[in-house]
């Protein structure tokens, strides 16, 4: 007769196979069945916690992982997953403690050093965060990603552009809560500030392009203005939500500059609301928009404005870029645009502090 422990072991192995195949719901069912037959086993708790973490059920995951750690304090996988869950739940001090334990248990894993650096940065411990990012680099961690994080803290050798992997992962993870957090929590209103004046003026265009469309906040405002609306974004999770708005004729997963370089379409309205803060240097984007825009077309965008003691193109501790008015005007002139309007207003609020920004409207010369 098969014992309960043997049945639990069979469910556990089925769960591992399902997890490795990406069948998370099946893996959860198998691990839960194993746990019911063998309560309290740290290996099962850890794996069920890991699955629920991937499914976004953070508190459930953390409860299981903390139970596993109570039984096995040096269970590296449980420590690492519990650290991630704590960080995503905003329990930064706990996340720091757990990531520190993880690097003590296995200092050779560069990703954990990177995660420790991110948690330390969130905790306001910049010097320690920088040391963690340097350790990640020394141990073979992602060079572009860790250098980006380090530059934002220290100002040393700031890259001209954000790593694609960082931006894509950021917004894939952010997609579900994006609209509520950005609009309700941070007072974000860039789509209205940029596009309402066009509606008031009765502007009508043939083809509008929403660069970095995200979840589609600009889409419903563009739809009445344009015969055709295309959205482009790096994050597939964001595009899935934009599709649900019904405002877009086409949605493309791509980097903004790469899309502009590769498309054969022509546009007479391009909008980039709160996008350039995640790109950095804008030379390629301006060149691409100019090449694909009809004469007389409009190019609208928002940027964060750097402080007087920051450079014209500044990578901030927030991991966002700021662009000064002279920088924007030079690019406009170099690529055949006239500045029709430039207004100063907050782009969002961070910790209840208004973040100064520029709202820019350019006209393609020749129309």
């Amino acid at each position: 007769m098969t014992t309960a422990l043997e049945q639990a072991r069979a469910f556990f192995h089925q769960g591992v196979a399902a997890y490795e195949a990406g069948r998370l719901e099946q893996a959860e069912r198998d691990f839960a069945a194993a746990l019911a037959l063998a309560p309290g086993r740290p290996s099962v708790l850890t794996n069920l916690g890991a699955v629920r973490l991937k499914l976004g059920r953070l508190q459930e995951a953390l409860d299981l992982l903390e139970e596993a750690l109570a039984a096995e304090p040096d269970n590296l996988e449980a420590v690492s997953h519990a650290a991630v869950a704590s960080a995503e739940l905003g329990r930064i001090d706990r996340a720091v403690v757990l990531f520190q334990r993880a690097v003590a248990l296995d200092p050779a894993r560069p990703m954990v050093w990177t995660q420790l650096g991110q948690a330390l940065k969130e905790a306001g411990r910049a010097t320690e965060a920088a040391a963690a990012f340097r350790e990640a680099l020394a141990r073979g961690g992602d060079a572009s990603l860790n250098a980006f994080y380090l530059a934002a803290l220290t100002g040393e050798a700031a890259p001209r552009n954000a790593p694609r992997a960082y931006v894509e992962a950021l917004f894939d993870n952010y997609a579900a809560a994006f609209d509520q957090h950005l609009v309700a929590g941070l007072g974000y209103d860039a789509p209205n500030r940029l596009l309402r004046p066009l509606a008031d003026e009765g502007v009508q265009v043939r083809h509008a392009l929403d660069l970095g469309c995200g979840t589609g906040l600009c889409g419903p405002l563009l739809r009445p203005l344009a015969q055709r609306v295309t959205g482009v974004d790096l994050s597939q999770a964001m595009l899935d939500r934009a599709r649900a708005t019904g405002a877009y004729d086409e949605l493309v997963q791509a980097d903004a500059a790469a899309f502009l370089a590769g498309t054969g379409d022509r546009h007479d309205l391009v909008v980039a609301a709160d996008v350039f803060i995640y790109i950095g240097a804008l030379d390629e984007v301006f060149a691409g928009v100019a090449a694909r825009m009809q004469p007389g077309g409009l190019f609208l965008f928002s940027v964060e404005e750097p402080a007087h003691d920051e450079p014209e193109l500044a990578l901030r501790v927030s991991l966002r870029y700021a662009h000064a008015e002279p920088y924007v005007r030079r690019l406009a002139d170099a690529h055949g645009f006239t500045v029709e309007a430039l207004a100063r207003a907050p782009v969002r609020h961070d910790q209840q502090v208004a973040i100064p920004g520029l709202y820019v409207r350019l006209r393609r010369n020749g129309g």
Side-chain angles (χ1 to χ4, degrees), residues 69 73-84 98-99 101-102 105:
L69 289 174
D74 292 341
N75 180 331
L76 179 58
E77 294 307 311
V79 171
S80 300
H81 291 313
V84 171
L98 289 166
F99 282 128
R101 191 191 302 179
L105 288 168

Side-chain angles (χ1 to χ4, degrees), residues 89-107:
L89 285 164
R91 298 170 193 170
I92 299 303
D93 290 342
R94 178 61 175 160
V96 167
V97 169
L98 289 166
F99 282 128
Q100 287 173 328
R101 191 191 302 179
V103 297
L105 288 168
D106 186 3

Side-chain angles (χ1 to χ4, degrees), residues 208-223:
L209 174 63
D210 187 358
L211 275 183
C213 63
T215 59
L217 291 173
C218 285
L221 298 171
L222 286 169
R223 183 74 273 168

Side-chain angles (χ1 to χ4, degrees), residues 52-138:
R52 287 184 176 163
L53 178 61
K54 283 229 175 192
L55 289 170
R57 289 155 57 188
L58 302 178
Q59 187 57 59
E60 293 177 46
L62 185 57
D63 290 343
L64 291 162
L65 294 162
E66 293 284 15
E67 186 179 346
L69 289 174
E72 288 185 356
D74 292 341
N75 180 331
L76 179 58
E77 294 307 311
V79 171
S80 300
H81 291 313
V84 171
S86 297
E88 292 191 13
L89 285 164
R91 298 170 193 170
I92 299 303
D93 290 342
R94 178 61 175 160
V96 167
V97 169
L98 289 166
F99 282 128
Q100 287 173 328
R101 191 191 302 179
V103 297
L105 288 168
D106 186 3
R109 296 168 65 177
M111 176 52 72
V112 184
W113 284 103
T114 301
Q115 292 169 318
L116 173 59
Q118 291 172 309
L120 287 164
K121 173 185 169 293
E122 289 298 312
R125 296 159 64 175
T127 301
E128 294 169 88
F133 293 133
R134 289 192 178 98
E135 191 70 33
L137 284 166

Side-chain angles (χ1 to χ4, degrees), residues 9 27 224 251 282 358:
R9 189 176 294 115
L251 289 163
L282 301 176
L358 303 175

